[in-house]
């Protein structure tokens, strides 16, 4: 017992010492013998994005992190637009996802996120053919409208009538989960219903995203040992993997037994391709069902959390900036006028909602749902910032920090100002993707960007026109530690139904 107390005391003392030592060093982590910079990382892991922002501002947009001795952890953290442009576009061929990324994201198998050419090109071609299909946009709008009427509105009305509180992030997560499952597999899990049922595959996705972030932060031999022993976070990872496999494989076998000629979904498209086997890489043909599972899981991750997270932060930012909400109300009233919803002219309506578009971009700048990207060069290279990078190193872009750099966005970079996205002639101001990286840049730019904006605009417009969302006072809203920038404790709100049309202000 005494020994335990002594060890705890020494441990605590070391932590306090390290904490003050870092402060003396102006917030830049010290590279200690043996442990490298790991202590600083562990002490700040609970606020990793703000910590990263603080360091990278002081180190002129680039910072080299050294892990423990022999752990092979050499990381260049960068938010330098010139580096981003170079890596994502100009020298794209030298920066594939690579084997380190594949290991960390092993659950994604041979899906689009985890693959490089020729597999990646195949997925990209398939994704384009689906998303640019002549019926895709109309189908999406129809699905979103139906989900709003059958799922979102009944719950918000109920919450308003009962005067209770609800977690808006949870609602949006359910909304996008139902939509993406319908689009991918023509299967609606109906997670957005008044009983708020538990949704194991959605929870499994949350767990995976959290654990994958930890895999980035600890030396590979540690998480690999935990995986081998099947303990701790890695045990949770394995369980989540099994839940998702069960869910996706059962959707695949249901799809096999369907015989509808009318609708098209991603699963059906890939299945039809399987039969033809045209242009598919060799590896894929070995196990078609596993390949379908990988494909679906990747799209599920891509399309669920990103959009729901963005919507949650959007309403959070509005609760802090009521003047923006008033302006949005005015725009909606002007553009939508007597129109009830987006069933007709959805494309035209969406394009006209410039201030809404600007507010969503501003949300994505401050709270990018995909919070960081990792790359490794195949061959040693010199970046525009002058840093030499080699295949042993990882390069990490932190998108949260990137949106909060004065040298990139100006002195007011911490403010929520949709106006910065609007040009003098009232149109959306284009910002290059290597500066506004929320949807990635270069050949691997997000293929679902239009789909995401369509969904977000319809949901945001409907909620703003019909309800007043009020944040519950004193409820802590902070980012979670995950590869997706969710809110750790969600976003608790009260809802008041607006009687009549769009009364704001
Ligand atoms: C606000 C919503 C969204 C944001 C912020 C977003 C952001 C991103 C980012 C940052 C990447 C690059 C990830 C990486 O390579 O590590 C990406 C890729 C991708 N996104 Fe999105 N996304 C959104 C919505 C969607 C939706 C709705 C879909 C629906 C299908 C989608 C499909 C994809 C796909 C398939 C890729 C992989 C592209 C490739 O590797 O070539 N995304 N997205």
């Amino acid at each position: 017992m005494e020994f335990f107390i002594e060890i705890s005391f020494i441990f605590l003392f070391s932590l306090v010492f390290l904490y003050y030592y870092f402060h003396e060093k102006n917030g830049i982590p010290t590279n200690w013998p043996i442990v490298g910079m790991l202590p600083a990382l562990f002490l700040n892991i609970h606020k990793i994005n703000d910590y990263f922002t603080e360091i990278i501002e002081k180190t002129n947009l680039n910072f080299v992190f050294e892990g423990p001795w022999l752990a092979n952890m050499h990381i260049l953290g960068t938010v330098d637009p010139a580096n981003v442009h170079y890596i994502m576009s100009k020298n794209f061929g030298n920066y594939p996802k690579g084997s380190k990324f594949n290991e960390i994201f092993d659950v994604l198998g041979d899906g689009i996120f985890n693959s490089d050419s020729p597999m990646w090109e195949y997925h990209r071609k398939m994704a384009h053919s689906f998303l640019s299909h002549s019926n895709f946009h109309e189908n999406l709008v129809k699905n979103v409208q139906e989900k709003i009427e059958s799922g979102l509105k009944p719950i918000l009305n109920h919450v308003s009538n009962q005067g209770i509180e609800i977690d808006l992030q949870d609602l949006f997560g359910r909304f996008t989960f139902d939509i993406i499952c319908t689009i991918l597999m023509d299967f609606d899990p109906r997670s957005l219903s008044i009983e708020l049922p538990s949704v194991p595959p959605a929870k499994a996705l949350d767990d995976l995203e959290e654990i994958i972030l930890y895999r980035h932060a600890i030396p590979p031999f540690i998480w690999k040992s935990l995986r081998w022993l099947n303990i701790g976070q890695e045990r949770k990872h394995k369980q989540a993997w099994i839940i998702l496999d069960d869910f996706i494989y059962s959707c695949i076998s249901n799809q096999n037994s369907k015989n509808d000629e009318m609708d098209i979904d991603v699963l059906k498209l890939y299945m039809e391709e399987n039969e033809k086997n045209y242009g598919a890489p060799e590896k894929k043909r070995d196990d078609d069902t596993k390949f379908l599972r990988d494909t679906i899981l990747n799209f599920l991750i891509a399309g669920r959390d990103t959009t729901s997270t963005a919507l949650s932060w959007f309403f959070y930012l509005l609760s802090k900036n009521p003047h923006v909400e008033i302006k949005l109300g005015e725009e909606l009233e002007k553009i939508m006028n007597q129109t009830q919803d987006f069933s007709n002219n959805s494309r035209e309506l969406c394009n006209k909602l410039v201030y809404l578009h600007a507010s969503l971009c501003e949300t994505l700048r401050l709270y990018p749902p995909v919070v960081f990207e990792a790359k490794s060069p195949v061959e040693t290279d010199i970046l525009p910032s002058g840093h030499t990078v080699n295949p042993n190193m990882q390069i990490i872009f932190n998108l949260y920090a990137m949106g909060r750099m004065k040298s990139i966005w100006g002195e007011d970079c911490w403010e929520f100002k949709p106006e910065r996205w609007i040009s003098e002639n009232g149109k959306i101001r284009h910002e290059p993707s290597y500066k506004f990286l929320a949807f990635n840049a270069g050949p691997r730019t997000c293929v679902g960007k239009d789909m995401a904006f369509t969904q977000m605009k319809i949901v945001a417009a409907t909620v703003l026109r019909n309800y007043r969302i009020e944040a519950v006072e004193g409820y802590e809203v902070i980012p979670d530690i995950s590869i997706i920038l969710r809110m750790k404790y969600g976003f608790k709100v009260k809802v008041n139904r607006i009687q009549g049309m769009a009364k704001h202000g």
Side-chain angles (χ1 to χ4, degrees):
M1 184 66 187
E2 256 175 47
F3 174 73
F4 178 73
I5 294 172
E6 262 174 43
I7 290 286
S8 310
F9 184 75
I10 292 170
F11 181 68
L12 268 176
F13 180 79
S14 314
L15 282 184
V16 173
F17 169 73
L18 291 174
Y19 179 78
Y20 283 105
Y21 189 76
F22 298 137
H23 268 245
E24 273 169 29
K25 295 216 106 187
N26 203 17
I28 312 295
T30 306
N31 189 8
W32 296 90
I34 303 179
V35 290
M37 296 179 178
L38 215 54
L41 183 68
F42 282 155
L43 279 175
N44 292 286
I45 193 93
H46 62 288
K47 50 161 186 163
I48 188 70
N49 293 308
D50 284 318
Y51 183 55
F52 194 96
T53 309
E54 224 176 274
I55 297 175
I56 210 99
E57 178 98 79
K58 285 178 189 150
T59 54
N60 203 17
L61 309 184
N62 296 286
F63 175 70
V64 179
F65 175 91
E66 294 293 350
W69 183 53
L70 294 180
N72 202 12
M73 260 181 109
H74 313 283
I75 301 171
L76 171 70
T78 181
V79 294
D80 187 335
N83 284 348
V84 173
H85 192 31
Y86 180 79
I87 292 168
M88 299 307 238
S89 301
K90 288 189 182 164
N91 201 9
F92 174 73
N94 195 34
Y95 294 89
K97 292 277 169 145
S99 57
K100 274 189 200 153
F101 187 95
N102 295 167
E103 266 182 1
I104 291 182
F105 288 82
D106 51 0
V107 70
L108 298 183
D110 291 321
I112 187 166
F113 277 120
N114 218 12
S115 55
D116 289 306
S117 290
M119 185 69 88
W120 167 69
E121 275 163 25
Y122 175 75
H123 279 299
R124 195 86 196 172
K125 191 184 78 183
M126 294 291 277
H128 273 304
S129 72
F130 180 72
L131 293 164
S132 56
H133 191 276
S134 55
N135 293 340
F136 178 78
H137 182 82
E138 276 67 35
N139 269 342
L140 173 69
V141 173
K142 186 178 110 231
N143 282 323
V144 169
Q145 287 288 168
E146 278 173 15
K147 190 53 51 188
I148 286 177
E149 293 306 321
S150 67
L152 193 60
K153 276 187 174 175
I155 299 182
L156 292 178
N157 290 344
H158 173 73
V159 171
S160 168
N161 293 342
Q162 301 294 313
I164 51 180
E165 294 168 3
I166 190 131
D167 176 3
L168 203 58
Q169 176 176 254
D170 178 52
L171 284 195
F172 289 147
R174 288 167 186 274
F175 185 94
T176 50
F177 185 63
D178 288 355
I179 292 288
I180 195 75
C181 286
T182 308
I183 282 171
L184 292 178
M185 307 178 281
D186 191 20
F187 168 68
D188 181 353
R190 295 184 200 283
S191 69
L192 189 70
S193 61
I194 230 152
E195 305 79 33
L196 301 179
S198 78
V199 192
K203 167 78 173 66
L205 285 174
D206 292 348
D207 288 346
L208 282 180
E209 287 158 5
E210 207 180 293
I211 297 159
I212 285 170
L213 186 112
Y214 277 97
R215 280 188 175 183
H216 280 90
I218 56 178
F221 73 88
I222 296 187
W223 69 257
K224 283 183 191 171
S225 308
L226 296 177
R227 182 175 64 180
W228 187 74
L229 293 166
N230 193 24
I231 54 174
Q233 295 281 63
E234 290 298 322
R235 186 183 164 82
K236 208 165 148 189
H237 186 276
K238 193 173 174 189
Q239 285 163 347
W241 187 325
I242 293 170
I243 292 172
L244 283 165
D245 275 2
D246 286 350
F247 174 67
I248 297 172
Y249 281 125
S250 79
C251 290
I252 294 174
S253 66
N254 284 346
Q255 179 72 291
N256 272 328
S257 56
K258 270 189 206 164
N259 198 14
D260 49 5
E261 297 285 310
M262 292 301 286
D263 287 333
I264 181 83
D265 52 68
V266 171
L267 192 50
K268 199 166 173 185
L269 181 82
Y270 271 85
M271 279 174 159
E272 281 171 10
E273 264 290 308
N274 274 353
E275 277 162 30
K276 292 186 236 153
N277 245 334
Y278 168 72
E282 195 70 32
K283 202 172 165 195
K284 169 198 162 293
R285 286 179 229 156
D286 295 344
D287 185 348
D288 277 343
T289 319
K290 154 87 170 52
F291 183 76
L292 287 174
R293 169 261 178 224
D294 294 349
T295 302
I296 294 299
L297 178 59
N298 280 249
F299 278 100
L300 211 57
I301 291 189
R304 178 192 76 127
D305 276 359
T306 47
T307 314
S308 62
T309 301
L311 275 170
S312 308
W313 287 111
F314 169 77
F315 279 98
Y316 167 77
L317 285 166
L318 290 190
S319 74
K320 299 274 172 213
N321 297 275
H323 62 285
V324 175
E325 189 176 346
I326 293 171
K327 284 183 93 170
L328 282 169
E330 288 164 3
E331 179 180 79
L332 287 167
E333 204 157 342
K334 188 168 142 217
I335 306 289
M336 306 266 316
N337 198 1
Q338 295 304 314
T339 318
Q340 290 302 317
D341 60 24
F342 287 78
S343 302
N344 298 313
N345 301 330
S346 58
R347 231 185 259 278
E348 203 189 331
L349 280 176
C350 283
N351 287 341
K352 281 185 179 166
L353 293 168
V354 171
Y355 196 69
L356 178 57
H357 192 95
S359 307
L360 290 167
C361 290
E362 187 67 344
T363 304
L364 293 164
R365 177 181 73 83
L366 286 168
Y367 294 101
V370 180
V371 71
F372 73 90
E373 306 243 351
K375 293 271 168 194
S376 262
V378 179
E379 282 174 15
T380 299
D381 200 1
I382 301 175
L383 300 181
S385 62
H387 291 83
T388 302
V389 287
N390 62 52
N392 242 348
M393 285 180 83
Q394 262 205 317
I395 304 165
I396 290 194
F397 309 130
N398 184 304
L399 280 62
Y400 176 92
M402 204 169 174
R404 289 157 195 259
M405 289 295 112
K406 288 185 189 140
S407 58
I408 302 177
W409 295 98
E411 286 297 315
D412 59 357
C413 62
W414 288 80
E415 288 172 40
F416 179 62
K417 265 193 184 171
E419 288 72 16
R420 78 174 84 235
W421 291 90
I422 300 175
S423 62
E424 292 75 33
N425 62 5
K427 299 236 160 68
I428 287 293
R429 186 192 297 279
H430 171 76
E431 291 290 2
S433 52
Y434 48 86
K435 176 179 170 190
F436 176 54
L437 196 56
F439 290 101
N440 221 19
R444 291 198 88 130
T445 295
C446 172
V447 287
K449 185 175 171 183
D450 285 347
M451 171 177 165
F453 270 113
T454 304
Q455 254 191 107
M456 291 190 294
K457 283 183 183 171
I458 299 180
V459 172
T462 309
V463 174
L464 285 168
R465 294 182 87 210
N466 294 285
Y467 306 93
R468 178 166 295 287
I469 303 293
E470 191 190 317
V472 171
E473 255 180 64
Y475 192 82
E476 193 180 22
V477 180
I478 51 167
D480 201 357
I481 308 302
S482 171
I483 52 167
I484 299 288
L485 197 66
R486 275 193 304 269
M487 296 160 168
K488 187 168 184 179
Y489 307 113
F491 181 34
K492 276 274 157 69
V493 297
K494 288 186 172 171
V495 177
N496 289 306
R497 197 171 171 182
I498 300 174
Q499 302 302 329
M501 274 306 241
K503 291 274 175 294
H504 278 268

